[in-house]
Amino acid sequence: MKVISERLATPIKYERDVCVAGGGVAGIAAAAAAARNGARVILLERGFMLGGLASAGIVTIYLALCDGMGNQVTFGLAEELFRLSIELGAEDRYPRAWLEGGSHEERKHARFEVQFNPQLFAISAEQLLLSLGVKILYGAPVVAVNKSADKITEVIIEGKGGREAISVKSVIDATGDADVCKLSGEDTVLFKQGNVLAAWYYGYGGGEYKLNMCGFCDVPEEERAPGQETPMLVNRRFGGLDTAELSEMVQLSHTAIKRNVLAHRDKTPDLVPVTFGTIPQVRMTRRIEGRMAIDTSDDRRHFDDSVGTFSNWKRRGPIYELPLSALYGKRVKNLITAGRCISSTEPMWDVTRVIPVCAVTGEAAGVAASLSDNFENASVEKIQEVLRSRGVRIHIDELDLI
Ligand SMILES: Cc1cc2nc3c(=O)[nH]c(=O)nc-3n(C[C@H](O)[C@H](O)[C@H](O)COP(=O)(O)OP(=O)(O)OC[C@H]3O[C@@H](n4cnc5c(N)ncnc54)[C@H](O)[C@@H]3O)c2cc1C
């Protein structure tokens, strides 16, 4: 392949304590948490709205804050963003038992989850971050970092205004794809199974506005029963990190949406798609290889460095503590991850990638980044103290389990 060499002189346009790369649920939670703890925060988003997969990706089901046994296990910003997503009303799955004082028995039968409107969520999240003084840059893909020894000193974006650098103390990688980890030489792991095609879209027809979830959720190889296959829209899987492959994947999803619309036209002749994903609907791509990788076998395991608790959206019962050491790696001292690119084993990745867990990891990363620029040596007790003061339950024994 032919290459060219370029000489670049990049202006340092901003100086901030905390730089959040990516404005999905994890990035929103991270930016809010860091700003609330007094940090000067900048959030860099390659698109032009907040929410990531949860808004631009049309994934609008905020999965459970409860364990499926009638107990709430996730608190803090994860609950705040849940409520924010439906501040002007829920689209579907309204959790009456949880929001209107239902009994424990009622809560056992209805999980604490909801379907929200993607555009309203994006706007409300934007207003929240602006009210906290977060500088939001849209059209700002992170394309490089500058390092001194084992720390990132500048994060570099390239948008309409050209190439610009942001001088930083600490960085939160909430890109979903561990882009900053990759750019800064941190160890990363690729998703080996590959993503199945998804083609979620909102349709309007027959007087009804409805989310159509085309494309089944996959089962991790390790959990598959012998002979069990995932029904697929197309017979191939996608890594999600190659421009040409992603473009093809999105084109296939558009075809699948049109096919789905046509298939429903006999019953709903006026059905049309009104919104589809404007970012690729990939579940797992690349993650940090952290100090530790959380696993599904860590159900009820105590971690001294826990920074929050969460449940398993696929199963009723399990509760996990989130170790801070699953958020940072071994090489870049002032870099921490949040969201679907934190460190977990392959089966656990399918549990940690969902919206409420992304919010838990975002809040923890945000607080940590506001307190330290060397996560390995950060005071875990101080981070836990701040999180507790925000209503986060740190250990499972702090939950009011019935
Ligand atoms: C088909 C599908 C169905 C799903 N169903 C559910 C469900 O029902 N419920 C549920 O809770 N979860 C579900 N999920 C998972 C969940 O939606 C996501 O994993 C979660 O929203 C991820 O949040 P995040 O903030 O970590 O990442 P993302 O939402 O991916 O956000 C990352 C953000 O970073 C930006 N970005 C990326 N690279 C860069 C860069 N280099 N520079 C600057 N910005 C960048 C992106 O534009 C994006 O806004 C589903 C996912 C898929 C794909």
Side-chain angles (χ1 to χ4, degrees), residues 287-295 298 301 303 305 321-330 342-345:
R287 61 168 177 79
I288 191 170
E289 184 166 14
R291 284 277 168 179
M292 75 88 62
I294 183 165
D295 183 50
D298 292 326
R301 179 169 165 196
F303 290 106
D305 67 339
E321 294 193 356
L322 171 72
L324 184 69
S325 44
L327 304 188
Y328 61 85
K330 302 170 193 114
I342 69 157
S343 182
S344 56
T345 60

Side-chain angles (χ1 to χ4, degrees), residues 86-148:
I86 53 168
E87 65 172 350
L88 297 185
E91 271 188 357
D92 204 358
R93 301 186 187 214
Y94 180 71
R96 199 167 304 281
W98 292 93
L99 298 180
E100 292 181 18
S103 67
H104 182 70
E105 202 50 35
E106 284 168 329
R107 291 176 176 193
K108 264 165 67 177
H109 299 291
R111 290 202 80 167
F112 194 169
E113 60 189 33
V114 78
Q115 186 180 316
F116 56 90
N117 177 269
Q119 286 78 23
L120 286 175
F121 176 55
I123 295 169
S124 299
E126 184 181 86
Q127 290 173 345
L128 171 70
L129 295 193
L130 292 176
S131 75
L132 293 171
V134 174
K135 174 86 183 167
I136 302 172
L137 288 188
Y138 289 132
V142 175
V143 294
V145 297
N146 197 28
K147 274 170 64 187
S148 172

Side-chain angles (χ1 to χ4, degrees), residues 21-27 44-47 49 51-54 59 61-63 140-143 174-177 179 198 200 279-283 338-341 353-356 358:
V25 170
L44 310 171
E45 166 54 47
R46 70 177 169 182
M49 70 195 289
L53 279 165
V59 172
I61 300 165
Y62 205 120
L63 282 172
V142 175
V143 294
T175 60
D177 301 321
D179 283 6
W200 289 29
I279 58 173
Q281 293 170 339
V282 281
R283 291 178 166 92
R340 64 188 172 90
C341 54
R353 71 180 173 85
V354 299
I355 294 171
C358 289

